[in-house]
Amino acid sequence: MTDIENIVILTGAGVSAESGIDTFRDAGGLWEQYRVEDVATPEAFERDPDLVLRFYDMRREAIQTKQPNAAHEALAKLDNEWNGELQIVTQNVDDLHERAGASRVLHMHGTHLNAWCMACDMRSPWTGPMIDRPPCPACGAKALRPDVVWFGEMPYRMDEIYGALRRADLFVSIGTSGAVYPAAGFVRDAKELGVRTLELNLDRSQGSHWFDETRLGPATALVPQWVDEVLTG
Ligand code: OAD
């Protein structure tokens, strides 16, 4: 891969699945246990904030008991050793990329480990529950919500993501079903820009036919193998 300089990597729930974090759309996944419209929309939060806060409190607590796996570790190694531009764009709201040691990580769907104050707009690091309406550390208002992007809201840092895609030579999608836009559209955007595209996933994603190459298998096997290939040129 000597012709590759700039890489954009999109990750989804599949990259954290082997760490024990439920995916959304696989059998037994979160969206089989809960309805999106009950827990992951601004309307749900308005209608039943306790239900929504409890759901995210549970998820926030759970992710803190999980550890990065070999896929996160391989991506962190790539991030640390890659001299070209590299952007890990994750849809995941866990912090396993960072805990594995990656730093060039952008959370387009937000993070479980931030609280967002609806009164003063401040985001604060947050590890505890929100169900008891704790005060905002900045302004004291009891108006915190999870800093995650709900359906109907705009994902974060889209300009940076499209900028990175425009400069990329390679776009790699890992462990995402390709069901949620705009992330699901990145492969088409990349193709239109003439960027090479590779999919690493357990099963084919919805947009699988758009990729130049698809490799199927668990992330903990595929990702370290691909990273070795890239780093050895
Ligand atoms: P999904 O649950 O939709 O898809 C998970 C993908 O990971 C599937 O394609 C699986 O085949 C794959 N997978 C499962 N186990 C794997 C493993 N061990 N190794 C590799 N791949 C594996 O999750 P996402 O695509 O991340 O958004 O979902 C996208 C967005 O939908 C989420 O960010 C979330 C959700 O609703 C919001 O909440 C806004």
Side-chain angles (χ1 to χ4, degrees):
M1 302 215 181
T2 43
D3 54 334
I4 302 295
E5 243 184 67
N6 298 336
I7 306 176
V8 174
I9 299 168
L10 172 69
T11 66
V15 88
S16 295
E18 289 164 87
S19 293
I21 299 179
D22 286 340
T23 64
F24 297 95
R25 295 176 183 78
D26 293 313
L30 277 171
W31 296 154
E32 262 185 19
Q33 303 167 47
Y34 297 87
R35 286 167 10 125
V36 169
E37 51 275 38
D38 288 343
V39 294
T41 66
E43 294 77 19
F45 189 51
E46 229 166 81
R47 200 171 49 238
D48 193 346
D50 280 4
L51 177 70
V52 174
L53 291 175
R54 227 177 266 119
F55 173 75
Y56 286 97
D57 281 357
M58 207 174 61
R59 299 267 292 145
R60 190 178 312 105
E61 194 182 344
I63 61 157
Q64 292 177 75
T65 67
K66 311 297 181 190
Q67 301 306 324
N69 63 46
H72 300 104
E73 279 157 14
L75 292 175
K77 177 177 151 89
L78 181 63
D79 180 25
N80 287 312
E81 295 183 14
W82 190 252
N83 290 327
E85 205 182 307
L86 181 136
Q87 182 65 67
I88 299 172
V89 177
T90 189
Q91 298 168 88
N92 297 344
V93 287
D94 65 52
D95 63 340
L96 297 186
H97 284 305
E98 288 90 341
R99 276 201 268 144
S103 54
R104 291 182 272 183
V105 183
L106 181 163
H107 284 268
M108 66 177 291
H109 287 169
T111 163
H112 275 322
L113 298 168
N114 266 356
W116 179 13
C117 179
M118 294 295 88
C120 73
D121 204 32
M122 187 71 134
R123 281 157 167 104
S124 313
W126 202 265
T127 52
M130 291 184 195
I131 187 71
D132 293 332
R133 309 300 195 279
C136 166
C139 76
K142 296 189 169 187
L144 298 178
R145 62 164 271 185
D147 189 14
V148 296
V149 174
W150 286 324
F151 286 89
E153 296 181 325
M154 182 58 86
Y156 296 155
R157 299 171 68 181
M158 293 305 296
D159 287 351
E160 277 171 76
I161 297 172
Y162 286 123
L165 277 175
R166 276 194 292 274
R167 293 185 300 276
D169 310 298
L170 177 66
F171 170 73
V172 187
S173 167
I174 306 173
T176 175
S177 61
V180 176
Y181 283 81
F186 292 164
V187 60
R188 282 185 70 168
D189 300 325
K191 269 209 96 74
E192 277 163 20
L193 290 161
V195 179
R196 229 164 97 183
T197 55
L198 168 67
E199 169 175 44
L200 309 177
N201 209 16
L202 196 57
D203 304 304
R204 283 187 178 278
S205 63
Q206 291 184 19
S208 193
H209 57 282
W210 289 101
F211 287 89
D212 296 322
E213 189 190 349
T214 293
R215 300 183 190 177
L216 299 181
T220 54
L222 293 184
V223 179
Q225 183 189 44
W226 169 71
V227 166
D228 275 352
E229 276 171 40
V230 178
L231 286 176
T232 54

